[in-house]
Amino acid sequence: MKTDRVMLFAGGDTRMCFAAETLSALPGWRIESILPARPFDIPEIHTCADPVQIQTLLPWDVLVLPVPASKDGASVFVAPPHPPLSLDTLLSAGKPGAWVLGGACCPAVSEKIRAAGLSFVDYCQDESLALANAVPTAEGAIQIAMEEMDTTLQGGRAVIIGFGRIGMALAPRLRALGMDVTICARRRDMCAQAQMLGFRAALLPQLADLCAAADLVVNTAPALVMGAAALSRLPQHALVIDLASKPGGVDFSAAKRLGRQTVWALALPPAGWA
């Protein structure tokens, strides 16, 4: 079927590949991709394998960017070993009034898109998608814990900092694996909600006391909440997983100085403080 509508998938990881494959069945659309995380076996997807070819892109109607769309407002992440893509170059290939779809876009990205005369949707602002996105983040955190901890999760004590989308997805999953889970939140209503669901809960000023008996601490707050005082109370064997985007919620310099094991899981879907 002849079509003049082009949907371009640029950068990202395997999630972008799944999205392109799913949408390749749309009638009347030509699906283009730039440097996907894996090669496609679907002939309907046209792949640009060389970054230089970006200059010869077909004018597109819809540009799909990854999560996050851009960390620096200038480039789009591509799975290693490929270099990042130029955001300006991608935007310059859009048709007048074309749409850009991206996730967790910083203000600089939004401004560039609007300055180019393009329409823009940040799909991370969709609450249903944000809730669904919390599930792989929670599962990824559990995988890291299983790989890094010297003991089983069952019978261990976990502290989750924050009870937004990520915390709510992670807490019942850790409990189902046999962990004793305590929620540490900044607001009393979040603590009350956690208690309503059968979890112990405490406010942030009590974090250091909670750490003294923890085997696993998972932070979801994108603000420094776990400093030297809390880290020093942790047992030597305990693991800290920080799911927060930059600047993170853990004092990693203090953790290194104190010899505490930490993992900053930036590769997982972004965690938020809700």
Side-chain angles (χ1 to χ4, degrees):
M1 177 186 297
K2 183 178 179 181
T3 178
D4 59 359
R5 293 191 297 175
V6 175
M7 185 179 301
L8 173 64
F9 287 79
D13 53 23
T14 308
R15 290 174 292 178
M16 291 282 282
C17 297
F18 282 120
E21 290 172 352
T22 300
L23 294 176
S24 66
L26 283 175
W29 284 87
R30 175 186 174 97
I31 305 298
E32 299 275 345
S33 71
I34 300 178
L35 299 174
R38 67 180 186 191
F40 291 103
D41 296 324
I42 300 176
E44 288 79 13
I45 299 178
H46 307 270
T47 301
C48 167
D50 184 348
V52 177
Q53 295 179 21
I54 296 176
Q55 304 294 341
T56 61
L57 286 174
L58 287 175
W60 46 262
D61 299 87
V62 175
L63 171 64
V64 182
L65 299 175
V67 179
S70 174
K71 294 181 179 179
D72 58 7
S75 59
V76 176
F77 166 80
V78 180
H82 304 297
L85 303 171
S86 165
L87 180 61
D88 287 337
T89 301
L90 290 172
L91 296 179
S92 68
K95 296 178 183 178
W99 284 83
V100 180
L101 312 180
C105 297
C106 65
V109 173
S110 305
E111 291 171 9
K112 279 191 175 183
I113 293 171
R114 294 189 175 96
L118 305 171
S119 300
F120 172 59
V121 173
D122 186 334
Y123 38 71
C124 279
Q125 299 301 316
D126 184 301
E127 182 64 15
S128 61
L129 178 63
L131 289 169
N133 200 48
V135 174
T137 303
E139 291 182 357
I142 291 171
Q143 179 181 350
I144 292 171
M146 288 181 168
E147 291 174 348
E148 299 293 334
M149 292 176 67
D150 294 331
T151 61
T152 61
L153 300 187
Q154 180 171 328
R157 295 185 177 184
V159 175
I160 299 175
I161 305 174
F163 202 56
R165 304 181 193 97
I166 307 300
M168 283 189 252
L170 180 59
R173 286 165 171 79
L174 289 178
R175 180 166 61 185
L177 291 169
M179 296 203 82
D180 183 339
V181 180
T182 300
I183 306 301
C184 186
R186 60 176 177 173
R187 301 198 328 244
R188 292 185 181 277
D189 60 319
M190 291 287 99
C191 289
Q193 187 173 6
Q195 290 169 336
M196 182 179 69
L197 296 174
F199 297 101
R200 276 194 287 274
L203 292 170
L204 274 177
Q206 298 173 266
L207 178 59
D209 291 336
L210 295 176
C211 287
D215 302 291
L216 172 67
V217 178
V218 182
N219 173 59
T220 69
L224 184 59
V225 294
M226 194 166 188
L231 289 164
S232 65
R233 298 286 299 279
L234 279 173
Q236 197 67 35
H237 69 274
L239 171 67
V240 178
I241 301 175
D242 193 352
L243 299 180
S245 55
K246 293 182 179 180
V250 177
D251 186 337
F252 291 101
S253 297
K256 184 176 181 180
R257 185 175 68 253
L258 293 166
R260 298 301 188 264
Q261 184 183 9
T262 60
V263 175
W264 196 0
L266 285 174
L268 299 181
W273 180 257

